[in-house]
């Protein structure tokens, strides 16, 4: 597809090609990439200004990096590495302690409570942190927040009515009147 000229026959530093249609560009992009050395430059001259937009996607799909374009020319380069190239990673032991970062900003790291394993609503099975005893004591006394009757969205974390429906103030027990509608 198109015509080409270059100084080397096997792998070129610069490739000049021309194309008259989008199908020529799609068909030639892989071959042009294979012809260029890593870092090589492709100068694609197009027969029509409308082909500039159509040329960019096939070139990108064949690993070209678009550099510049004019009304009838697109300049692209092949990346500076071959497909499947390997490079060693630089492994460093420069681990940063997050607590030191907080201290450098004048912040104190948060303290983690001992009962992290328990959920907010009920103690875990075989609770050893004391949450089970604490909830048993709270169940006797209302939480004192004054929002117990409003429903879970308004209740505090220690409310003994968590998980229960809203009720009228003073009516802590809910009585359902289940009757037939017939």
């Amino acid at each position: 597809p198109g015509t080409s000229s270059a100084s080397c026959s096997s792998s070129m530093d610069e490739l000049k090609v021309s194309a008259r249609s989008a199908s020529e560009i799609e068909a030639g992009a892989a071959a042009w990439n294979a012809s260029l050395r890593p870092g090589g430059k492709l100068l694609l001259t197009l027969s029509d200004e409308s082909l500039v937009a159509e040329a960019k996607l096939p070139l990108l799909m064949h690993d070209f990096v678009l550099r510049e374009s004019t009304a009838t020319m697109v300049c692209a380069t092949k990346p500076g590495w071959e497909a499947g190239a390997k490079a060693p990673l630089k492994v460093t032991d420069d681990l940063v302690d997050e607590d030191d970062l907080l201290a450098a900003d004048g912040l104190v790291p948060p303290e983690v409570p001992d009962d992290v394993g328990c959920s907010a609503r009920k103690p875990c099975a075989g609770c050893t942190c004391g949450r089970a005893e604490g909830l048993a004591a709270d169940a006797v006394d209302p939480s004192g927040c004054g929002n117990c009757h409003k429903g879970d969205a308004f209740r505090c974390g220690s409310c003994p009515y968590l998980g229960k429906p809203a009720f009228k103030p003073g009516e802590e027990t809910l009585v359902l009147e289940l009757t037939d509608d017939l």
Side-chain angles (χ1 to χ4, degrees):
T3 60
S4 64
S5 62
S7 58
C8 302
S9 59
S10 59
S11 273
M12 301 175 237
D13 293 324
E14 185 173 295
L15 181 62
K16 296 179 182 178
V17 294
S18 62
R20 292 181 299 270
S21 67
S23 60
E24 276 188 23
I25 298 167
E26 291 174 15
W32 301 333
N33 189 330
S35 300
L36 286 170
R37 287 188 182 145
K41 186 176 183 180
L42 172 71
L43 296 172
L44 175 60
T45 305
L46 304 165
S47 62
D48 187 9
E49 292 180 14
S50 65
L51 289 176
V52 172
E54 293 181 40
K56 292 180 180 181
L57 183 61
L59 292 176
L60 288 172
M61 295 300 291
H62 287 90
D63 299 326
F64 282 101
V65 178
L66 300 177
R67 295 297 178 198
E68 58 186 85
S69 60
T70 62
T72 58
M73 183 182 286
V74 176
C75 179
T77 56
K78 183 176 178 176
W81 60 87
E82 287 288 345
K86 297 178 182 178
L89 293 176
K90 296 178 183 176
V91 180
T92 61
D93 293 328
D94 298 342
L95 298 178
V96 177
D97 185 15
E98 292 88 2
D99 293 340
D100 292 341
L101 290 174
L102 289 172
D105 289 341
L107 302 171
V108 178
E111 291 191 23
V112 179
D114 293 335
D115 60 349
V116 172
C118 293
S119 69
R121 296 210 174 217
K122 64 179 186 174
C124 57
C127 180
T128 58
C129 69
R131 183 180 290 265
E133 292 83 19
L135 286 178
D138 287 344
V140 177
D141 299 51
S143 64
C145 68
N147 293 325
C148 296
H149 68 282
K150 294 181 180 179
D152 278 352
F154 300 96
R155 293 176 179 149
C156 63
S158 63
C159 184
Y161 300 104
L162 280 174
K164 296 180 181 172
F167 54 88
K168 294 179 183 173
E171 295 180 8
E172 284 77 20
T173 58
L174 180 66
V175 178
L176 296 176
E177 294 178 19
L178 300 174
T179 58
D180 279 341
D181 291 337
L182 299 175

